[in-house]
């Protein structure tokens, strides 16, 4: 979840609503639960109830963030359900870029590789053009989503090529580098190249051991679980 301070910064239009204060209070409550417990089904359900299910016009960024939370607990069907709410909406800028990433990830993980490929074809120019203005971390998210699309279509060589997009490590506590390495573990597991799987898992663990601090108390165990899941072909 994005911190409340970032939500406030990105919510100029929302701030004009009479209900903004109450919404921010609820968001802060949910964020406190997140920082304490991490990604859970209960967090997703409470978020959905507070900002999507009972809202007259749910905000696109809330729907996208909720889909990302469901993604973190491996509930791709729920992620797809909420993303479908935006299928006919005219999105632009950050919302569209983040929506495209979540859609590619979700469709790919559900095995809907044709839908994922069609969606990529339709939106790839926008994604590539927009990514040039994005941070290295956000660019990495795009390449991971594109690699998952190729993986779903069993084009493993293309998926591995996408992961070699030139990311440069950002120090010892680089969570995005770890995300990339975990994706690599998953790609190898899905490709059936068992000879390289053990080495990829060891590399991911090696990256994790370099960390000198974690953002949340549950972060380390979460990453350990994600590495184990990726080695089983689950991401």
């Amino acid at each position: 979840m994005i911190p409340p301070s970032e939500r406030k910064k990105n919510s100029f239009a929302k701030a004009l609503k009479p209900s903004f204060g109450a919404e921010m209070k609820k968001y802060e409550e949910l964020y406190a639960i997140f920082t304490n417990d991490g990604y859970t089904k209960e967090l997703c359900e409470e978020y959905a109830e507070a900002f999507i299910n009972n809202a007259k016009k749910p905000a696109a960024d809330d729907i996208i963030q909720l889909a990302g939370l469901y993604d973190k607990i491996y509930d791709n069907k729920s992620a797809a359900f909420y993303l479908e709410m935006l299928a006919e909406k005219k999105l632009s800028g950050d919302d569209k870029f983040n929506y495209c990433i979540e859609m590619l990830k979700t469709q790919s993980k559900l095995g809907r590789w044709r839908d994922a490929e069609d969606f990529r074809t339709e939106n790839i120019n926008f994604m590539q053009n927009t990514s040039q203005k994005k941070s290295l971390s956000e660019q990495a998210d795009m390449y991971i989503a594109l690699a998952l699309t190729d993986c779903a279509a069993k084009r493993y060589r293309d998926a591995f090529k996408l992961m070699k997009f030139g990311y440069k490590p950002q120090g010892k506590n680089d969570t995005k580098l770890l995300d990339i390495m975990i994706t690599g573990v998953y790609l190898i597991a899905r490709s059936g190249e068992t000879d390289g799987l053990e080495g990829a898992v060891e590399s991911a663990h090696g990256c994790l051991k370099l960390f000198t601090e974690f953002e949340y108390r549950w972060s380390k165990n979460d990453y350990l679980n994600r590495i184990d899941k990726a080695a089983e072909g689950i991401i």
Side-chain angles (χ1 to χ4, degrees), residues 9-213:
K9 184 177 68 176
N10 298 337
S11 301
F12 177 75
K14 292 179 184 177
L16 301 176
K17 296 165 54 180
S19 59
F20 181 72
E23 288 178 3
M24 274 307 306
K25 183 178 179 181
K26 181 61 179 179
Y27 188 87
E28 288 167 356
E29 290 174 2
L30 291 177
Y31 190 75
I33 294 171
F34 166 70
T35 58
N36 189 62
D37 300 332
Y39 301 103
T40 64
K41 180 180 179 182
E42 290 72 25
L43 174 68
C44 293
E45 290 176 344
E46 284 200 43
Y47 193 109
E49 211 50 28
F51 294 101
I52 315 297
N53 299 346
N54 293 322
K56 291 182 179 179
K57 293 182 179 180
D61 56 346
D62 278 325
I63 294 172
I64 294 164
Q65 180 164 228
L66 176 61
L69 293 176
Y70 271 116
D71 174 73
K72 291 292 188 180
I73 63 169
Y74 307 98
D75 188 348
N76 300 306
K77 288 184 178 180
S78 291
F81 171 80
Y82 284 101
L83 288 172
E84 187 62 29
M85 293 181 177
L86 299 174
E88 302 301 323
K89 301 288 185 182
K90 290 185 178 180
L91 302 176
S92 61
D94 290 345
D95 283 345
K96 184 173 181 179
F97 185 74
N98 295 329
Y99 167 71
C100 287
I101 287 173
E102 291 300 331
M103 274 294 290
L104 286 176
K105 285 163 49 182
T106 300
Q107 297 283 31
S108 299
K109 293 176 187 182
L110 286 171
R112 301 171 183 171
W113 63 273
R114 288 189 183 276
D115 290 336
E117 285 194 328
D118 289 344
F119 185 87
R120 177 174 62 182
T121 299
E122 183 180 346
N123 294 283
I124 189 62
N125 287 338
F126 165 81
M127 293 180 72
Q128 289 178 330
N129 291 335
T130 304
S131 71
Q132 295 175 16
K133 306 170 188 175
K134 295 291 184 180
S135 67
L136 193 61
S137 177
E138 290 172 304
Q139 290 177 33
D141 290 336
M142 181 188 74
Y143 281 105
I144 287 172
L146 293 172
L148 292 176
T149 303
D150 279 332
C151 180
K154 299 184 178 181
R155 291 197 302 272
Y156 304 114
R157 185 173 297 180
D158 291 336
F160 285 122
K161 284 181 180 178
L162 281 165
M163 297 309 296
K164 297 177 181 178
F165 62 93
Y167 184 84
K168 296 179 181 179
Q170 306 295 303
K172 290 184 177 181
N173 305 310
D174 188 350
T175 56
K176 193 56 60 179
L177 176 61
L178 192 52
D179 286 339
I180 291 169
M181 297 185 81
I182 291 171
T183 303
V185 171
Y186 170 78
L187 294 179
I188 293 173
R190 297 294 294 182
S191 72
E193 296 291 334
T194 53
D195 291 343
L197 184 58
E198 185 176 346
V201 171
E202 288 180 2
S203 294
H205 279 293
C207 178
L208 186 59
K209 287 178 181 177
L210 292 175
F211 278 61
T212 57
E213 61 182 10

Side-chain angles (χ1 to χ4, degrees), residues 39 72-74 182 185 205 208 218-232 234-235:
Y39 301 103
K72 291 292 188 180
I73 63 169
Y74 307 98
I182 291 171
V185 171
H205 279 293
L208 186 59
W218 46 264
S219 293
K220 183 176 181 179
N221 286 336
D222 182 63
Y223 278 117
L224 287 169
N225 178 62
R226 287 175 58 192
I227 293 170
D228 289 343
K229 289 278 192 181
E232 298 171 4
I234 303 169
I235 196 171

